[in-house]
Structure formats: structure tokens, C-alpha cells
Amino acid sequence: MKISLKNVAKTFQTFRAVRGVSLEIESGELVALLGPSGSGKTTILRMVAGLEYADEGQIFFGDEDATDIPVRERGVGFVFQHYALFPHMTVGENVAFGMKVSKKKRSKADIEARVGELLRLVKLDGLQDRFPNQISGGQRQRVALARALAVDPKVLLLDEPFGALDANVRRELRRWLREIHSELGITTLFVTHDQEEALDLADRVVILDEGRIVQEGTPAQVTRQPKSAFVVRFLGDTNRLSASVANGMADLGGASIAAPALADGKADAYLRPNDLTWSTTGGGIPASVEGVLDRTGSRRVIAVTDRGDPLEFDVAPEVAVKAGDRGFVQIARAQLFAAE
Amino acid sequence: MRHAKGKPPRVGDRPAIRRTLIAVVLVTGAFFVLAPLVVIAVQAFSLGVGYFGATIAHPDTRHAIFLTAATALIAVPINTIFGIAAAWAVTKYEFWGRRFLIVIIEIPFSISPVVAGVAYLFVYGLQGLFGPMLQSAEVRVLFALPGIVLASMFVTAPFVARELIPLMQAQGRDLEEAATSLGASGWRTFFSVTLPNIKWALLYGVVLCNARVMGEFGAVSVVSGNIRGQTNTLPLHIELLYHDYNAVGAFAAASILALLAVVTIVAKVLLERQGAGRRSRPALAAPIVEAKP
């Protein structure tokens, strides 16, 4: 089911959480709402679910105006950040709950069969007599998903679905959610503040800041053609160097790069740790190394330019570099924006 | 409890301190709580079982027992519903005056019950606010069951709400939102999701409320008028017997009240031991199973 938001706004007391958001989510798409805390992403998700009502604007499910349809009748599957499993019910009873309270009556055997089917889908068969406290966090999140899917929702909404899990489980569940999505093809909207999660999982990423959409697009679009410095900064580690632009070239104090789109004047260059390389022989921005952090696939060099700007970049594990070394930082690529 | 030889004890686990503390608590408890209860039981039967029976069988005592039970049967359910409603309102809604409501609910805790009784006199008494109106409608509030119930309700209004508010605050709204998003109606959500998760706190509040209603003296004493065999509840009747120099009778009646209290506590413990108690807190009953991917 296609979802459209038309100029939706929401204010809590004096806090303007969402300020005129318009968004289209195509049927079967997997879309991430990404933003820092307070950017309005969860509020948007809750408005789509019907757990909050929009002060302004409309929300359409297909062609139907769903703005004022209460959550109970909206037909969404909502997965909460902290699972919200019913602690006094077993896993099986949790999954069956939506079918038991449904207006559409099902026979007991029917419900049981469907519960079994859903638990197999989320790879939890055999655990249906456990209570939520007796299973792990990752398993709980999968029960929550099975419970949401049990009511055959038109849309699946997930609020920070993996936020409370440790990194390994999170990565595994991410892959697994992708599989479930491609198997069921259900329109899915999820909220996250984790850039990696959004980029790994979503067909399209919607980046929010202060209640507004700052950019939306495929992971390739938002990473390679960021529209603003905020998007660059938010999507990952970055270094900022001030630059001066003249005649389509930006000078970064030792290195210059093409800046065809910028007018002459001051600019900011944003450089990912992988956009920089280290050279001892010359060419580039003169810098000295302050420290090196060894990581699994690379070494993170913490350096400072002779102009006093801090820089962080990655070099291959074999590169022998240590604190106190002097050399040159070379720029492979950069994102340039007119100075703020 | 025990620690291996040669190793320093855990923090707060020094044997001398532990033994002293436990002894002090045990002795104090026995002296202040248990001993008086034993005295009541002994005194009640000091003139023999026959005299005990006669005191209990006396129409005035029987009426007092009846009145106390009737008061509890009316006041406790009403206060239970009020407590759930108040806790729900305070924890699940944001509204103007929310903090004020919490303070209001707490008032009966901090105010002397006598003040409550006197206040009721001013509101419902003949010279009071609604006095003339009630009299012309021939409704008796004071010196009758309604006054006793109202006074008891005032005193015990906070008990259920106080137990529920912290729990429901901690639980938040997620469970209700989850149930509603799955298509459950408001009633269904309340009965199959909210209630099972608060039932032990609720039960505890009800037990405390009941014990207090049955034992309430001050407020009831002001509004009931102490009419023997008519408006005397059990605590008032005990005082009356005592003032009649019938100490044994007073103890006999008091033993009934003490018995009622013991029964409520035992009922609570028994209910908690039921399998249902385990179901609501499976974490206490079963080991946590580690994740199997």
C-alpha cells in the first residue's frame, strides 16, 4: 500500500516536532527515517500509525485519507523500540493477540496454525510457550515483529527496531529484516538514528532535521550527492577544512580541488576519513601526527595541519606511521559547500 | 550469606553487624507488634470460651461486625475503582492540574482522620452545607451508614492509587498502544493487558484499603454518633465496651478485628502463591535463556 504524507505538522505544547513534511512511500518500498534525536522522525512514524494525530496536513493510505482513522482501525503493524511484548502472555499468546481481538473471527485452530507459521517465519518455532522474560532481546524483537505481522497490516512501522540490541545481533537482525521484507513485500517504514543501519537496510533514506526533510533519496544519492553540510556531517565521520574558492578551484592550504559549482569566496570542505591519504614525500597539506588508533581493517590517524585544523583519516594496516611523524595529507575527494 | 574463610566479607555483610541488626529487628518486632496481638488473644479468652462466645453473640457486637463488613463492602470497591481511575488519569494522560491531582489524592494520608470527620459534619450536618437540603429530602447521611461509608472512603482514598501510580508510571503507555494497534478495544486492552500487569499492586492496595476501612476509628467516630447497636462499627464498639469497664469484652471484640486483619494478610499471601503469581512474573520463576541465533 502506498503511503503519502501531505504537509504534515505536529506541535507538542510549544515544541514544533514536525514542520510541514511531505513524503511518498511507494507500495512495497522499505524506507528509513533517519535523523538525530528531536528531528521528528518518531513523531512522523507515530502519526502514520495513528498513535499521534497530525495538527496539520493529511496522511493517505493508497487513495484513502487516513488522517483521522484511529490506530485501532488503521491496519498498521507497529513494532516498538522496547518491544512492548505483553509480559503476562507467552510468545504464542502475544502473537495470537491481534487475531483474537480482531473483528474478523477466526477459529482457534486457525489462529494456532497462523501463530506457528509466523513463528517459523521469524525463526522462533519451538519457543511459543516461553514468556518474554525468558528469551533474549533479539528474540523478543522478532516476536514483536511476528505479532505485528499477525494482523496482516497494510504497512509495517518500526520505531528504532534494533536500538536496544548489541552490535552483532543488530547486524544479523538487519539482514534478516531485509529477507522478510523481500519475502512479504510489505510497505515498510522504519525510524533510526543509526546511519549505517539506514544505509544498509533501506531502499530509500529520508534524512530529517528539526522537523523537516533535508534530503531523501537512495543510499547512493544521499551519500554521494549530499545536499547540505548537515547531511554530510550526519551520515558519518567527517573532517572540515575551510577553503577559499577562486575561478572554480578551492584552495585548502596546500591542496586544491575543483569546485565548479561554487561562487568565489569562502567555502567549507568536508572530507571523510577515507577521502584522505598520507604521504611522507610531499604534495598536499602539511600535517603532523598526534596519535594512531589501530582498528580491525585499518589504522585511524589523528593529525593536525600546520594551520591548526584537526584531521582524522584511515590508512592501511601496513602503513608505519606513529605519533610525532610529519608528512602530507592528500585529498582524494571532498564535498564542498559555501561557508555557513 | 556465608563467605569463604580468609576472604573479606562483602560490603554490609560483617557477621557482627548482621547478627545485631537481625536481633534488634526481631526483638523490636516481637515486642511492638506480636506481643500486643498475643495479649489480645489471651485476654479475650481469660474468662473462658463461654464468655468470649457470649460477647461475640451479643446483638450489639454482632451488629457492629455487620456494620463494619457492610462499610468495607461498599467503600473498598468504590475506592478501588477510584484508585484505578486516578492512577490511569495521572499516569497515562497529560493534562492541566495533573500534579495537583496527585497532591489531592495524598491529602488523606497526611490529615488526621478526625479532621475529615469534622469536615463531613460541616458539609452534611444539620447546620452544614447540604444539611437542610438532605433533611428536606429525608436522606440521612450523618449518624447512619452513608456517613460512615463516606468517612471511611475519605480516609482510604489514596491506598489503591498510591500502589498503582509508581507501577503504571514505570510501565508507560507502550503496552496499551501495542494492544490498540493490534485492534483491541479500550475495554479489551484494559482487561487483557493493563489489568493483568497491575493486579498484584492492585490487590495489595485493596488489602491495605480493606484493613484500614475495617479499622478506621477517628473519622467514623465523629460522623457515626456512636449509637450502640445502630451506628457502632467494630472499632467504636471496642472502645465502648472498654469504657463500660468490660475489658474482656473489649478484647474479645478486638480479637475479631485482629482476626479480620490476619485473614486479609493470609489471603494476600495465598493469592501470591497461586500459579498466577508466577505467570505474571516469569523472570522470578524461570532462568533466563541466552540468545540462540
Side-chain angles (χ1 to χ4, degrees):
Chain A
M1 171 110 17
K2 178 181 168 173
I3 309 168
S4 331
L5 280 72
K6 298 216 159 88
N7 221 1
V8 171
K10 176 79 185 175
T11 303
F12 294 108
Q13 274 130 30
T14 57
F15 177 63
R16 294 173 66 198
V18 178
R19 315 178 182 198
V21 164
S22 296
L23 180 63
E24 304 240 311
I25 298 149
E26 297 300 329
S27 194
E29 217 178 1
L30 177 52
V31 171
L33 294 175
L34 175 65
S37 56
S39 60
K41 54 194 191 304
T42 294
T43 307
I44 293 172
L45 191 80
R46 289 173 61 86
M47 284 194 288
V48 173
L51 292 168
E52 304 288 354
Y53 288 101
D55 295 337
E56 285 165 46
Q58 288 164 296
I59 296 166
F60 287 89
F61 279 25
D63 296 325
E64 187 188 12
D65 184 348
T67 317
D68 296 319
I69 298 178
V71 53
R72 194 185 159 204
E73 281 139 39
R74 210 174 275 202
V76 298
F78 199 96
V79 177
F80 292 80
Q81 180 176 7
H82 299 288
Y83 329 122
L85 295 180
F86 307 129
H88 58 292
M89 296 183 196
T90 62
V91 165
E93 287 165 348
N94 264 285
V95 176
F97 184 84
M99 292 183 273
K100 279 185 190 152
V101 302
S102 164
K103 283 175 197 153
K104 196 172 75 185
K105 289 278 163 259
R106 291 171 186 249
S107 73
K108 223 174 165 187
D110 235 23
I111 293 179
E112 258 171 47
R114 178 94 173 109
V115 168
E117 199 180 294
L118 284 160
L119 287 178
R120 263 193 303 284
L121 177 74
V122 299
K123 303 198 175 84
L124 286 177
D125 27 345
L127 290 187
Q128 65 208 61
D129 294 326
R130 297 277 184 84
F131 283 95
N133 281 354
Q134 298 169 305
I135 58 178
S136 73
Q139 290 170 329
R140 277 179 223 167
Q141 192 56 286
R142 284 186 272 166
V143 175
L145 186 73
R147 185 179 68 176
L149 290 172
V151 294
D152 297 319
K154 301 172 200 153
V155 188
L156 186 60
L157 306 168
L158 306 102
D159 184 10
E160 301 263 1
F162 313 125
L165 302 168
D166 62 58
N168 284 333
V169 180
R170 205 184 304 171
R171 223 164 281 137
E172 183 189 311
L173 280 189
R174 216 184 276 167
R175 194 175 343 114
W176 164 85
L177 181 65
R178 194 106 206 43
E179 281 167 23
I180 291 222
H181 179 261
S182 52
E183 196 174 325
L184 301 177
I186 182 170
T187 310
T188 304
L189 185 59
F190 76 98
V191 157
T192 181
H193 64 265
D194 180 339
Q195 313 81 0
E196 193 187 306
E197 189 168 290
L199 296 172
D200 277 12
L201 196 49
D203 298 324
R204 210 145 53 83
V205 179
V206 178
I207 299 168
L208 292 146
D209 186 34
E210 296 185 338
R212 289 198 187 85
I213 295 178
V214 291
Q215 187 170 1
E216 55 175 297
T218 61
Q221 284 166 337
V222 295
T223 48
R224 301 296 167 247
Q225 296 139 37
K227 277 189 184 165
S228 68
F230 170 82
V231 174
V232 178
R233 280 198 305 266
F234 188 68
L235 284 181
D237 287 356
T238 184
N239 300 289
R240 188 173 82 166
L241 287 179
S242 48
S244 51
V245 179
N247 304 324
M249 290 300 282
D251 175 28
L252 280 77
S256 52
I257 43 177
L262 284 182
D264 289 4
K266 290 251 165 269
D268 287 323
Y270 289 90
L271 309 142
R272 301 266 179 232
N274 286 321
D275 294 344
L276 301 173
T277 52
W278 179 246
S279 160
T280 46
T281 50
I285 305 167
S288 46
V289 176
E290 298 207 312
V292 182
L293 310 175
D294 283 296
R295 294 181 173 174
T296 45
S298 63
R299 309 186 77 198
R300 170 64 56 97
V301 181
I302 298 165
V304 60
T305 67
D306 288 0
R307 282 203 318 206
D309 293 313
L311 285 179
E312 288 194 20
F313 54 91
D314 293 336
V315 295
E318 307 79 41
V319 175
V321 57
K322 60 183 188 304
D325 284 4
R326 284 193 54 80
F328 300 90
V329 176
Q330 294 171 343
I331 297 168
R333 62 194 88 76
Q335 304 283 352
L336 282 162
F337 296 96
E340 279 167 2
Chain B
M1 297 297 267
R2 228 167 273 147
H3 53 86
K5 278 214 163 67
K7 288 197 180 159
R10 282 187 320 188
V11 172
D13 207 18
R14 225 166 256 286
I17 294 178
R18 195 175 70 218
R19 278 184 214 125
T20 315
L21 202 60
I22 292 171
V24 166
V25 171
L26 278 181
V27 169
T28 317
F31 191 72
F32 284 109
V33 181
L34 209 58
L37 282 176
V38 173
V39 169
I40 287 177
V42 171
Q43 284 290 319
F45 293 99
S46 63
L47 293 182
V49 178
Y51 190 85
F52 178 85
T55 307
I56 302 301
H58 191 280
D60 288 351
T61 308
R62 289 212 319 251
H63 188 268
I65 294 171
F66 159 76
L67 199 59
T68 295
T71 306
L73 279 176
I74 301 169
V76 173
I78 294 178
N79 263 346
T80 303
I81 292 168
F82 167 76
I84 296 172
W88 188 282
V90 163
T91 56
K92 311 265 170 176
Y93 303 134
E94 284 289 333
F95 56 94
W96 187 89
R98 192 172 145 269
R99 282 171 192 283
F100 186 62
L101 181 61
I102 299 179
V103 174
I104 296 262
I105 293 169
E106 300 260 313
I107 284 178
F109 263 150
S110 52
I111 213 164
S112 166
V114 175
V115 178
V118 173
Y120 274 97
L121 276 189
F122 281 119
V123 176
Y124 299 106
L126 271 184
Q127 275 76 44
L129 226 47
F130 303 124
M133 204 177 74
L134 289 169
Q135 201 185 26
S136 62
E138 294 194 355
V139 177
R140 286 185 63 93
V141 173
L142 287 183
F143 314 126
L145 185 63
I148 296 170
V149 170
L150 283 173
S152 304
M153 275 169 52
F154 177 92
V155 174
T156 57
F159 281 86
V160 172
R162 273 279 298 250
E163 291 302 321
L164 294 184
I165 286 172
L167 179 69
M168 287 168 77
Q169 232 152 19
Q171 285 177 348
R173 268 194 303 223
D174 276 11
L175 292 181
E176 280 82 14
E177 285 183 347
T180 312
S181 77
L182 291 168
S185 66
W187 285 114
R188 185 79 189 231
T189 301
F190 178 75
F191 284 108
S192 52
V193 174
T194 308
L195 203 55
N197 284 302
I198 60 169
K199 67 181 170 191
W200 297 111
L202 181 65
L203 187 70
Y204 192 65
V206 168
V207 166
L208 288 183
C209 181
N210 183 56
R212 184 66 193 267
V213 165
M214 288 184 166
E216 178 50 30
F217 181 83
V220 172
S221 145
V222 176
V223 298
S224 85
N226 280 28
I227 308 165
R228 201 182 288 249
Q230 283 180 36
T231 65
N232 249 2
T233 59
L234 203 44
L236 300 181
H237 188 63
I238 292 166
E239 200 215 15
L240 213 65
L241 289 172
Y242 189 73
H243 282 308
D244 288 349
Y245 301 104
N246 185 354
V248 176
F251 281 123
S255 69
I256 302 279
L257 209 52
L259 190 72
L260 284 174
V262 171
V263 166
T264 28
I265 297 291
V266 169
K268 175 182 167 279
V269 172
L270 284 182
L271 274 161
E272 276 184 347
R273 281 205 186 157
Q274 293 274 308
R278 236 176 244 169
R279 275 172 69 93
S280 90
R281 292 175 216 158
L284 299 177
I288 309 252
V289 179
E290 277 312 306
K292 266 181 259 125

